Amino acid sequence: MLFPTLFDSLERARWNMHTDIPWEQFDSSCISERQLHGIKMNSILEWSSMPTAEMFLRDNQNDIDFSAFISIWFFEEQKHSLALLEYLRRFAPEFLPTEAELGAVRFTFDPAPALDSLALHFCGEVRLNNWYRCAREYHSEPVIRAIYQLLANDEARHARSYFKYMQRAMKRHGEQAKMSFSKIGVLMTNPRMNRAMHPTNLHVNKSLFPSDTVNSRLPDPGWLTRWLDEEIHFDEKWETKIERGILQNLSALFGEQLDSARALRQFQKSLTVL
Ligand SMILES: [Fe+2]
Ligand SMILES: [Fe+2]
C-alpha cells in the first residue's frame, strides 16, 4: 500500500495556515481589483476538488489504497481554496465568493475509466504547479506571493503522489495502463489544443452540456484564459516546462526516451497498432 508512506511524507511537508503565511506583510498598494477578481475565481476553481474527489471515490470502489490517498488530496485542495478565501476575507471581503458560487462547481461527473482520470490529474497537477509558480512571479503583493508558493509546492507533491499510483498501475495493469497513460499524455501535450488544457476545462457530464466544465460554471467563465494570456502571461517558456515535466515522467514510466510531444504521439500510435 502506498497510502501510509504518502500520508507520512505529506504530513511532514504540511504547512500551517496561521504561521506559514506572512499575513502581517500585506501591502494594499501592491494589489489591484482585477487581481482580487482573479483570486476569487481561483478560490472557486480550487473548490472543484469536491466533485473530483467524489468522482475518484466512486470510480475506484475496488481500490482502498488510492481512495485513502484521496482523503489527503481532497483536504489539501480544500485548504488551497480556504487560503485564498482567507486572503479575501482579511483584505478584500467584497470579493469573497458566495456559497452559491462555490456550490456551482459541485456537480456530478460522468463515470470515467480510473486509469484515464489518474493520468489526467497527474498532468493537471504538473500544469497547476507551473501556473502557480508563474502567478507568484506575476504578483508583487507579498502575502499572495507566499500563498502561491505554498500552493505550487503542494501541487508538485500531488503530481508526485499521482505518479506513484501510475507506477503501481504499470505493474498491475501493464499494457492497459500504458495505453491509457500515453493517450492522456498525447492529449495533454498537444500543442494545437487550447493552452488552458486542464481537467477543469474538460466536458464531464453529457446531460449538462455545454455547462459541464468547471470553468464554464465560474461566475466569470472566460477568466482562466484571460488570466493566463493577459495577466500572468503564461507563455511558451512555461508551456515547455509542463511538456518537459510530463514527457520526462512518462519516459521513466514506460522505459522509453520520449523527448518530444511528437515522439510520444508516435509511441502511442505504435501501441494501438499492436
Ligand atoms: Fe490546489
Ligand atoms: Fe493539487
Side-chain angles (χ1 to χ4, degrees), residues 46 73 77 80 125 128 154-155 158:
E46 284 285 336
W73 176 79
E77 299 296 6
H80 291 178
E125 299 285 0
L128 272 177
D154 278 359
E155 310 300 13
H158 294 163

Side-chain angles (χ1 to χ4, degrees), residues 242-259:
I242 293 178
E243 188 177 290
R244 209 183 311 128
I246 293 173
L247 291 173
Q248 278 172 355
N249 280 288
L250 291 184
S251 296
L253 202 59
F254 302 150
E256 297 275 339
Q257 193 55 44
L258 304 166
D259 41 25

Side-chain angles (χ1 to χ4, degrees), residues 42 45-47 49 73 76-81 84 125 128-129 132 151-152 154-155 158:
N42 205 345
L45 199 71
E46 284 285 336
W47 199 271
S49 64
W73 176 79
E76 294 194 349
E77 299 296 6
Q78 289 290 155
K79 186 178 168 190
H80 291 178
S81 184
L84 297 168
E125 299 285 0
L128 272 177
N129 164 258
Y132 291 163
L151 267 52
D154 278 359
E155 310 300 13
H158 294 163

Side-chain angles (χ1 to χ4, degrees), residues 165-178:
Y165 283 101
M166 290 167 78
Q167 287 176 313
R168 191 197 63 168
M170 285 292 289
K171 287 196 198 115
R172 288 187 179 176
H173 306 291
E175 285 307 300
Q176 193 197 347
K178 211 187 262 185

Side-chain angles (χ1 to χ4, degrees), residues 126-146:
V126 172
R127 181 166 285 280
L128 272 177
N129 164 258
N130 283 283
W131 281 353
Y132 291 163
R133 282 164 57 200
C134 182
R136 178 185 174 277
E137 283 184 15
Y138 156 71
H139 279 284
S140 55
E141 197 292 301
V143 181
I144 198 65
R145 278 172 62 86

